[in-house]
Amino acid sequence: MKNLPKVPQWRVILNAQRILKNPISFHQEIFEELGDNFMVKTPAGKPVVFTRTPQIIRHVLQKNHANYKKSTLQTEDLANYIGNGLLTAEGEHWLVHRRMIQPGFHKKKLVGLLGIMHEAIQNELRQITPESNFDVYSLMGDLAFQVVAKSLFSRSDIRESMAKLQKITEDNQQMVIKEMRQPYLQWWFALSGMKNRHLKFAADGRQILNTIIEERITSAHKKNDLLDMLLEATYEDGSHMSRQQLIDEVLILFTAGHETTANTLSFTLYLLAKNPGAQEKIYQEIKELDFHQENLYEIIGKLPFTKACLEESMRLFPPVYIIDRVAKDDDEVANQEIKKDTLMLLSIFELHRNKDFWEQPDDFHPERFLKMDKKEYSEYYYPFGAGPRMCVGNNFAMFEMLLVLAEIFKKYTVSTEMDNMELNPLISLKPKKVAINFKERRR
């Protein structure tokens, strides 16, 4: 891109530790100083463009998505640890598997999983201790992981295995972030044995999943869960996924499926703890509904304000706070030329808080999503991404989160003494800690 303001390399180097800890504040500082688009040159001389311009973001993700691919940070670095599944795959390989898997996440298909999902949520929420402050991020992480596990495997006897897999997933994500933000230390990661140690963790995680899959195949017992959907999915020639590919896809569902949900629920509980009026509106919406009925899908459709709270939470704290794409060929958009091989970093966090598109952008106002038609904000609201690579599990996540909030607020009110949260941007946007007090609701 020509004539873009440039951030000198010395400034990036001086802020290296700050960027490693939390790049969002550094990005905000530069956006406010230089405008909606700016460039950083890497030591290798390749251009990196940061943007919060909605026309450019929409062009890259939707209008001309075929000209853009994911960076090697995802297709190679992240893939080293979680395999070549939907999140990390590119090209024809991605397209084929997306077409295979997407039907399993259609709303109507997910209806059959709602009972399993609801039971898992109720079991995990029994960990809540009223009248005591505790970090809900840990609780929401365990809950979301168990919901994915039960929805995938329909088993109640794998908690220990899933706890090991969860620990491996979280540890390896920390390693990936180090590699992404400190590429100049790759030699040390290899020499010290750190990288090999984490690759061994990844292999251990794959073996856990392989054992569970083997048991299912050997039993020949149909459970109509997500694992059955993956086992039954076929290519055009009628063949099934290889065992390696199957494990790759299951790992992606665990990694992306539990983490973004846990993050959003934690942020939402914090925002609601700061807004007792919004809690009361949720309670009024759910208090007469029977969530033990079989028709959970219909009941979930009766929660517009609860859904708006989640949407507003994902606006303020988007699960995928930044999206990377690399230009395959020269391109042009919004009077800007994009040269081949340019790395585009699309700041969803900045777009979601841009005062040109949102009134009081830093404030929690869920009502805005009830007042506006979706078409009014669709070009500057991307909580699950956009275009062909939009998150395949967005409906699954929304169903789960709505059920969690309904279960919590029909029993409790929440409060917090925290004035603000410290963010922990890794592959997705996490909170460092969310200390919440639960008080039993008076009937």
Side-chain angles (χ1 to χ4, degrees), residues 131-190:
E131 306 296 346
S132 64
N133 277 306
F134 66 96
D135 183 8
V136 295
Y137 181 71
S138 176
L139 172 63
M140 292 300 111
D142 290 344
L143 180 151
F145 207 89
Q146 289 300 319
V147 169
V148 174
K150 301 290 175 55
S151 300
L152 265 165
F153 303 133
S154 300
R155 285 175 54 174
S156 57
D157 60 344
I158 54 173
R159 179 174 288 274
E160 185 177 344
S161 296
M162 291 300 98
K164 292 178 182 176
L165 183 61
Q166 184 176 359
K167 180 70 164 57
I168 289 169
T169 300
E170 291 170 353
D171 286 351
N172 278 354
Q173 183 178 157
Q174 294 285 347
M175 183 62 206
V176 172
I177 290 299
K178 288 180 181 179
E179 292 186 70
M180 288 181 174
R181 294 182 188 167
Q182 296 178 297
Y184 46 87
L185 289 181
Q186 286 286 1
W187 65 274
W188 169 248
F189 299 147

Side-chain angles (χ1 to χ4, degrees), residues 94-156:
W94 167 81
L95 181 60
V96 167
H97 290 92
R98 174 80 181 209
R99 287 173 176 169
M100 289 175 70
I101 293 170
Q102 186 161 347
F105 284 91
H106 190 275
K107 285 183 180 181
K108 292 182 179 179
K109 284 280 189 179
L110 294 176
V111 169
L113 293 175
L114 289 178
I116 296 172
M117 190 185 289
H118 191 214
E119 183 181 359
I121 289 167
Q122 289 177 305
N123 287 337
E124 294 303 312
L125 290 179
R126 291 192 179 102
Q127 298 180 48
I128 291 175
T129 305
E131 306 296 346
S132 64
N133 277 306
F134 66 96
D135 183 8
V136 295
Y137 181 71
S138 176
L139 172 63
M140 292 300 111
D142 290 344
L143 180 151
F145 207 89
Q146 289 300 319
V147 169
V148 174
K150 301 290 175 55
S151 300
L152 265 165
F153 303 133
S154 300
R155 285 175 54 174
S156 57

Side-chain angles (χ1 to χ4, degrees), residues 197-246:
R197 184 165 65 252
H198 283 272
L199 289 173
K200 174 63 167 57
F201 292 161
D204 292 343
R206 295 178 72 86
Q207 185 55 48
I208 290 171
L209 293 176
N210 187 59
T211 299
I212 295 171
I213 291 168
E214 185 63 35
E215 289 174 358
R216 172 68 61 85
I217 293 172
T218 302
S219 74
H221 181 59
K222 300 282 187 185
K223 295 193 175 183
N224 294 318
D225 52 17
L226 292 178
L227 180 57
D228 274 353
M229 178 272 290
L230 292 171
L231 286 168
E232 292 167 5
T234 59
Y235 298 104
E236 289 185 359
D237 64 2
S239 62
H240 297 271
M241 276 187 266
S242 67
R243 182 65 60 87
Q244 177 178 327
Q245 188 63 46
L246 183 59

